[in-house]
């Protein structure tokens, strides 16, 4: 073949390759565009087709408003702090017990309600249903709060429940006395209105959630197991209604946690011979450990976006983003790697992308002129749904890559199972309907809860655990969670009561309506 003939041949091959590439790209974008326009994750059950069970309605009058706010403020003023794994405020927990009995006299005296103390300070209520064949469900909340100190910069003392511009300030106003008081206040009003549920339900109030729930939630589970109880679903604290928190999302979104990340506490330690600071070795225990910690911070865990429930979250929210995010989120099959890189830029969304690594303790040194023999650090890992404690531990050992650094697992548990969110998932659909009835402009989406809750102890009692409370989180509110100036608006607290009031009645339906695949209503 002549030189010009072979050039022509190469040119023809290149032309075929380029046009095939162009056709492939065009095809991919056509598929992506069709999916953007047609993705309908909100197809489901029509609100209008639900069996009507919410016969009682709650319109809060002036007197009730005064009373419910006074109750809530009194709850906030009782400092039920869990200080550490071994230090809880038992005096405050006993006071809280007395307070509940005074604030909710009908709940504590109704023949429909059986109440008992569990683990000395936790509360278990059983509200009897008129139709015992209907499987019961359970609402959870916790009594304890994390410590708070006014000197950190609170606008009002953290246990004052002071009202400023329509907000009640105080530790527990969003974590988690709002849910606790909201549930009991709703039940008090329902019972006062003569309501008797068809479907029985439990209410569990743990007293030590902030220190892992070992004596509260775990004992409640033990009691229920002994009684052979199985639950239709469990609803606990967790995700909320986010408004203006997810960048680019138009309007508020109620995220319902279908699962929660796993957790591990890992201890890193370095031991060397102690010595005189005037003749230091080239590397000290502190230096070796600091390098290990730096390696962990410089090498985040792998991106796993799309391998857990977080992919579904963005598919559900896609239609509320504008172009190009709408296009990207509707086509995670193509754009997951790109979206991961966008999300990982901010701590709040990075938590959805991977297992996170937080160094929370670093201890070493005894005296200014002594080379310390021991340096230790603790790392708190929040494990993505697609990983396990074991896998994460192996990655840590590889990343540290230094035999002198001892890596030990202090405690750990794998990510929690993923509850259903389809049209047959009773708990999910009940929560969704209750949200949409009360807040019609909200988009409801399944999600993963990045923190842990008492509900994780309930996995042997049900496959369906949802982490959600109808608290509204606006920009700046995430920082209030375990932070300073924790607060809730009086309006939102009232909405929470109405939400639980309606949810309890919605649970009385015998079964969910038949799905109607092309309807957008629910
Ligand atoms: C794409 C961006 C979406 C942004 C939306 C984010 C909304 C986030 C809303 C709420 C935050 C989630 C908080 C979940 C509840 C966590 C409760 C909690 O703090 N639990 C403790 C439990 C614990 C664990 C270990 C211990 O030794 C003690 C307590 C926790 O640390 O997880
Ligand atoms: Zn909490
Ligand atoms: Zn908390």
């Amino acid at each position: 073949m002549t030189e010009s003939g072979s050039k022509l041949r190469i040119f023809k091959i290149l032309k075929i390759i380029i046009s095939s590439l162009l056709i492939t790209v065009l095809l991919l974008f056509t598929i992506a565009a069709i999916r953007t326009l047609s993705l309908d994750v909100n197809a489901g059950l029509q609100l209008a087709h639900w069996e009507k069970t919410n016969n009682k309605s709650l319109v809060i009058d002036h007197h009730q408003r005064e009373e419910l706010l006074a109750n809530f403020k009194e709850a906030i003023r009782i400092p039920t702090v869990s200080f550490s794994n071994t230090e809880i405020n038992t005096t405050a927990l006993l006071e809280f017990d007395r307070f509940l009995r005074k604030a909710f006299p009908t709940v504590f005296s109704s023949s429909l309600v059986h109440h008992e103390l569990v683990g000395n300070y936790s509360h278990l209520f059983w509200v009897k249903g008129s139709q015992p064949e209907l499987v019961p469900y359970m609402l959870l909340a916790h009594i304890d709060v994390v410590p708070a100190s006014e000197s950190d910069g609170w606008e009002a003392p953290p246990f004052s429940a002071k009202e400023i511009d329509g907000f009640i300030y105080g530790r527990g106003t969003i974590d988690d006395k709002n849910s606790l008081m909201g549930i009991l206040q709703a039940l008090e009003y329902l019972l006062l209105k003569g309501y008797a549920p068809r479907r029985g339900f439990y209410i569990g109030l743990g007293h030590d959630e902030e220190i892992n729930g070992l004596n509260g939630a775990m004992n409640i589970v033990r009691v229920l197991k002994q009684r052979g109880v199985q639950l239709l679903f469990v609803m606990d604290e967790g995700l909320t209604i986010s408004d203006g928190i997810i960048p680019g999302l138009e309007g508020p979104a109620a995220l319902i946690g279908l699962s929660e990340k796993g957790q591990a506490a890992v201890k890193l330690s370095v031991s060397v011979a102690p010595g005189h600071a005037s003749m230091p070795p080239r590397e000290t225990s502190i230096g070796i450990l600091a390098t290990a910690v730096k390696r962990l911070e410089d090498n985040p865990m792998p991106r796993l976006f799309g391998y857990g429930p977080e992919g579904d979250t963005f598919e559900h929210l896609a239609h509320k983003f504008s172009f190009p995010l709408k296009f990207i989120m509707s086509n995670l099959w193509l754009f997951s790697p790109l979206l991961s890189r966008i999300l990982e830029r901010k701590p709040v969304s990075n938590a959805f992308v991977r297992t996170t690594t937080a160094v929370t303790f670093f201890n070493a040194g005894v005296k200014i002129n002594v080379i310390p023999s021991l340096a230790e650090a603790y790392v708190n890992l929040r494990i993505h749904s697609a990983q396990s404690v074991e896998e994460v531990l192996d990655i840590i050992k590889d990343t540290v890559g230094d035999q002198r650094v001892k890596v030990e697992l202090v405690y750990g548990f794998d990510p929690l199972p993923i509850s259903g969110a389809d049209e047959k998932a009773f708990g999910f659909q009940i929560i969704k309907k209750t949200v949409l009835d009360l807040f019609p402009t909200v988009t409801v989406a399944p999600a993963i809860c990045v923190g842990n809750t008492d509900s994780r102890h309930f996995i042997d009692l049900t496959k369906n655990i949802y982490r959600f409370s109808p608290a509204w989180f606006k920009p700046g509110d995430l920082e209030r969670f375990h932070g300073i100036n924790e607060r809730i608006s009086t309006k939102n607290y009232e909405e929470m009561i109405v939400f639980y009031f309606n949810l309890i009645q919605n649970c009385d339906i015998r079964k969910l309506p038949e799905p109607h695949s092309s309807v957008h209503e629910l």
Side-chain angles (χ1 to χ4, degrees), residues 141-142 144-146 174-177 209-210 236-238 452-454 481-482:
H142 63 89
D144 62 328
V145 295
V146 291
I174 50 175
D175 180 19
D176 181 36
K177 286 177 176 167
E209 187 276 344
E210 298 293 359
D236 195 2
E237 66 167 335
N452 294 118
T453 70
D454 266 351
F481 205 90
H482 286 196

Side-chain angles (χ1 to χ4, degrees), residues 72 172-182 471 488 493 496:
F72 184 58
T173 50
I174 50 175
D175 180 19
D176 181 36
K177 286 177 176 167
N178 54 342
S179 303
L180 184 156
M181 293 297 289
I488 190 168
Y493 178 59
M496 290 193 62

Side-chain angles (χ1 to χ4, degrees), residues 94-385:
L94 290 174
E95 190 186 342
F96 202 82
D97 178 347
R98 287 192 296 274
F99 157 70
L100 288 181
R101 292 167 201 267
K102 183 189 77 176
F104 304 115
T106 320
V107 171
F108 280 87
S109 63
S110 166
S111 60
L112 292 176
V113 183
H114 176 262
H115 166 263
E116 65 199 292
L117 280 176
V118 177
N120 296 327
Y121 312 105
S122 289
H123 296 254
L124 175 61
F125 300 85
W126 160 238
V127 186
K128 202 171 152 208
S130 60
Q131 298 187 1
E133 69 281 8
L134 298 179
V135 184
Y137 63 99
M138 185 154 192
L139 305 177
L140 297 178
H142 63 89
I143 303 169
D144 62 328
V145 295
V146 291
S149 161
E150 192 180 354
S151 60
D152 287 341
W154 283 71
E155 279 174 44
F159 297 100
S160 67
K162 192 171 168 193
E163 199 174 322
I164 307 172
D165 297 335
F167 288 89
I168 298 168
Y169 281 69
R171 184 57 92 222
T173 50
I174 50 175
D175 180 19
D176 181 36
K177 286 177 176 167
N178 54 342
S179 303
L180 184 156
M181 293 297 289
I183 293 167
L184 291 183
Q185 191 69 70
L187 180 58
E188 177 80 10
Y189 287 145
L190 279 166
L191 294 170
L192 281 171
K193 285 174 184 278
Y195 168 76
R198 274 191 211 159
R199 187 183 298 278
F201 62 99
Y202 293 88
I203 299 172
L205 311 177
H207 71 271
D208 60 354
E209 187 276 344
E210 298 293 359
I211 48 172
N212 272 320
L214 302 183
N215 290 312
M218 279 180 85
N219 272 320
I220 291 177
V221 168
R222 191 179 44 78
V223 166
L224 294 176
K225 270 188 178 173
Q226 275 167 0
R227 294 176 191 164
V229 172
Q230 278 294 306
L231 299 166
L232 187 55
F233 74 94
V234 162
M235 180 165 113
D236 195 2
E237 66 167 335
L239 297 170
T240 60
I241 302 178
S242 294
D243 190 13
I245 288 187
I246 306 174
L249 181 75
E250 228 174 78
L255 302 183
I256 300 174
L258 304 186
S259 176
E260 50 194 78
K261 289 178 96 174
Q263 193 181 155
V266 174
K267 181 180 168 186
L268 305 181
S269 57
V270 179
S271 286
V272 296
H276 199 289
S278 62
M279 297 166 286
R282 204 180 54 78
E283 286 179 293
T284 60
S285 55
I286 294 179
I288 296 167
L289 188 63
T291 304
V293 164
K294 183 84 174 71
R295 280 188 191 142
L296 288 179
E297 290 193 341
D298 285 349
N299 296 284
M301 292 280 168
R303 293 180 196 94
L304 289 171
F305 182 79
Y307 294 95
E310 67 284 343
D312 274 357
T313 308
F314 288 93
E315 282 193 346
H316 274 75
L317 299 178
H319 67 290
K320 289 283 180 175
F321 283 87
S322 48
F323 196 80
L325 281 175
K326 184 196 224 106
F327 184 66
I328 291 173
M329 287 173 188
S330 304
N331 292 286
L332 293 181
W333 58 278
L334 188 58
F335 295 120
S336 263
L338 173 68
L339 189 57
S340 300
R341 282 168 175 78
I342 299 173
L343 294 175
E344 72 182 0
R345 290 185 201 148
K346 292 217 169 105
V348 60
S349 43
N350 180 49
F352 288 77
V353 172
R354 55 165 49 88
T355 295
T356 53
T357 310
V359 182
T360 50
F361 280 106
F362 197 109
N363 300 325
V366 281
K367 196 169 182 300
I368 187 70
N369 60 351
V370 174
I371 301 293
S373 64
L374 180 67
E376 28 179 60
Y378 284 80
V379 186
N380 189 227
L381 298 134
R382 300 302 173 114
I383 304 170
H384 186 277
S385 295

Side-chain angles (χ1 to χ4, degrees), residues 489-507:
S489 71
T490 53
K491 175 173 175 275
N492 192 192
Y493 178 59
E494 283 179 31
E495 287 165 344
M496 290 193 62
I497 297 169
V498 177
F499 174 86
Y500 293 115
F501 186 94
N502 293 343
L503 180 116
I504 291 169
Q505 294 185 78
N506 286 337
C507 283

